[in-house]
Amino acid sequence: MSNPSSLCFRFALFLSFSLTTSSSLPPPFFSNRYTPSSSSHPIPKATPSDLLSLLASKPQSSSVNPIIARHLKSCFKFLVPFSPTIINPGPRKLGSVKFTAPIFKEDKLNHLIWWPPEPVLELARIAVDSGGDPAAIQRLLDPTVISVPDVEGSKEERCQLTRTPYGRRFIAEELNLYLKFLFELIVARGPSVGLDVTLNRFDLFHGHLFLAVDSGRLGILFHAKEYPAYDKQVFPYNLGFCQRGSNVTYDDSMNLRNILWLAPLPGDSAKSWGAPGVLVVLDAHPDGIIYRDLIPDYVKFARTIYEDDLGEATIDVNYLNVGSQTSNYQIYIC
């Protein structure tokens, strides 16, 4: 299930790219290319399954070609320390999380990623037990339809940010709270890996929930820097109505626009777990293997990894500021 705005974004990028190929593209973003052929031992091609396996259990990680594994790991920038242990201290309650808490609170935030609240763990198990069936997730949504109001003046620009003009939410409120938590944590932790990101309609406002290839593992691929500002020299691409008014600068931070959350991986028994949760930025710099192998050629300048390459696209998760005078961020699932 793809967001029409995402599909339009892909088409706009493709069309823009086609129209500008005859002109010289400005450095530094288009001048470097990953060239493994310069080595006498070319690096094998990485796949989305390789990436997901490295972030799973130790047996799955060890099945990845060691050369591919080394190069992929060099592109991982963890927002929460990677903890491949399968020791489960028990799910945590979300409660009221304050991102300005003293340093001793950092461990609590980490554990909310490694071992989320019980409703999130149940969702993760349903995803795997269903064999990666999107309908199993969609059935957990409240049937109540919620109209998406204006988002930061987007309607004035004739911009529709969401796949549909309405959305829904999970029946279990803690699932909705956890989605909010993920967005807020990305913003809070992003600067630690060089990603300065803002919650607004040009930058970070959405993620794509998917069920991973082969395993059915629950994941969300977030996209920051969604609508960079048009710039004749640096970003000469017209992305449509939603780009108008953007203050997002196209620079090296685009390399970090793909952020991946993976839920804990259920084990073989009803109560066992094969791997804890993960929150990681995927560095798509032009000299890296992610840029070379996991980003389509036509969109390399936007550094976009697509959720349907990682698994079965299921729903889009939007975190939108719908306040008129003061900020009011709400979840809309489309």
Side-chain angles (χ1 to χ4, degrees):
M1 181 187 302
S2 295
N3 187 332
S5 67
S6 176
L7 292 174
C8 291
F9 179 67
R10 294 193 202 191
F11 177 74
L13 289 176
F14 177 76
L15 181 59
S16 249
F17 181 69
S18 299
L19 293 173
T20 56
T21 49
S22 60
S23 62
S24 59
L25 294 173
F29 306 108
F30 303 94
S31 58
N32 293 326
R33 288 295 179 267
Y34 194 79
T35 54
S37 58
S38 62
S39 169
S40 58
H41 300 285
I43 300 168
K45 183 178 175 65
T47 66
S49 291
D50 292 329
L51 186 151
L52 295 173
S53 293
L54 285 176
L55 299 170
S57 64
K58 288 185 176 179
Q60 287 171 300
S61 180
S62 62
S63 69
V64 178
N65 179 300
I67 299 174
I68 292 175
R70 183 172 69 254
H71 283 269
L72 281 174
K73 288 177 180 178
S74 72
C75 296
F76 292 162
K77 293 181 178 292
F78 291 99
L79 296 179
V80 168
F82 183 55
S83 177
T85 63
I86 59 172
I87 298 173
N88 183 357
R92 303 297 181 96
K93 290 188 176 181
L94 195 56
S96 178
V97 176
K98 296 185 182 298
F99 294 93
T100 56
I103 191 66
F104 65 83
K105 297 291 187 180
E106 292 295 291
D107 188 57
K108 177 181 179 181
L109 298 180
N110 293 341
H111 277 281
L112 282 168
I113 295 296
W114 295 331
W115 305 111
E118 191 62 43
V120 182
L121 294 178
E122 290 176 2
L123 191 69
R125 196 169 289 281
I126 288 171
V128 171
D129 289 348
S130 70
D133 180 10
I137 305 299
Q138 294 159 357
R139 282 193 290 267
L140 300 178
L141 296 173
D142 190 318
T144 304
V145 172
I146 307 166
S147 177
V148 179
D150 185 41
V151 180
E152 301 169 7
S154 58
K155 288 190 175 181
E156 184 178 347
E157 298 292 350
R158 292 185 289 169
C159 163
Q160 181 177 311
L161 293 169
T162 55
R163 189 177 63 85
T164 59
Y166 55 85
R168 296 161 66 188
R169 295 188 180 122
F170 280 108
I171 296 171
E173 181 58 22
E174 196 149 17
L175 291 177
N176 302 314
L177 291 174
Y178 192 77
L179 294 175
K180 292 183 179 183
F181 162 72
L182 289 176
F183 279 98
E184 297 284 353
L185 187 61
I186 290 168
V187 172
R189 294 277 180 93
S192 67
V193 299
L195 175 63
D196 290 314
V197 62
T198 303
L199 289 169
N200 67 47
R201 70 180 183 91
F202 302 113
D203 197 344
L204 176 64
F205 67 86
H206 77 287
H208 307 280
L209 189 148
F210 66 91
L211 304 180
V213 175
D214 300 327
S215 69
R217 189 178 188 181
L218 181 71
I220 299 176
L221 179 64
F222 296 90
H223 286 142
K225 315 297 180 185
E226 183 70 2
Y227 292 107
Y230 177 90
D231 185 288
K232 188 174 181 180
Q233 298 301 318
V234 178
F235 192 74
Y237 302 101
N238 185 348
L239 304 181
F241 297 128
C242 291
Q243 185 188 31
R244 293 180 179 177
S246 173
N247 59 357
V248 175
T249 302
Y250 183 81
D251 55 24
D252 284 339
S253 66
M254 288 295 291
N255 295 334
L256 307 178
R257 71 177 303 245
N258 302 284
I259 305 110
L260 179 64
W261 171 77
L262 293 173
L265 178 65
D268 295 331
S269 67
K271 294 185 178 181
S272 68
W273 296 90
V278 176
L279 186 62
V280 60
V281 172
L282 305 175
D283 189 350
H285 62 278
D287 293 325
I289 194 170
I290 287 179
Y291 177 94
R292 185 194 74 171
D293 294 344
L294 301 184
I295 295 180
D297 288 341
Y298 70 88
V299 78
K300 274 185 161 42
F301 58 94
R303 310 293 195 265
T304 305
I305 298 173
Y306 288 114
E307 65 280 2
D308 44 10
D309 289 331
L310 297 176
E312 186 73 30
T314 302
I315 53 177
D316 292 342
V317 178
N318 303 280
Y319 191 42
L320 305 173
N321 179 12
V322 298
S324 55
Q325 300 298 324
T326 59
S327 296
N328 178 21
Y329 289 89
Q330 298 294 328
I331 290 290
Y332 295 88
I333 297 173
C334 301

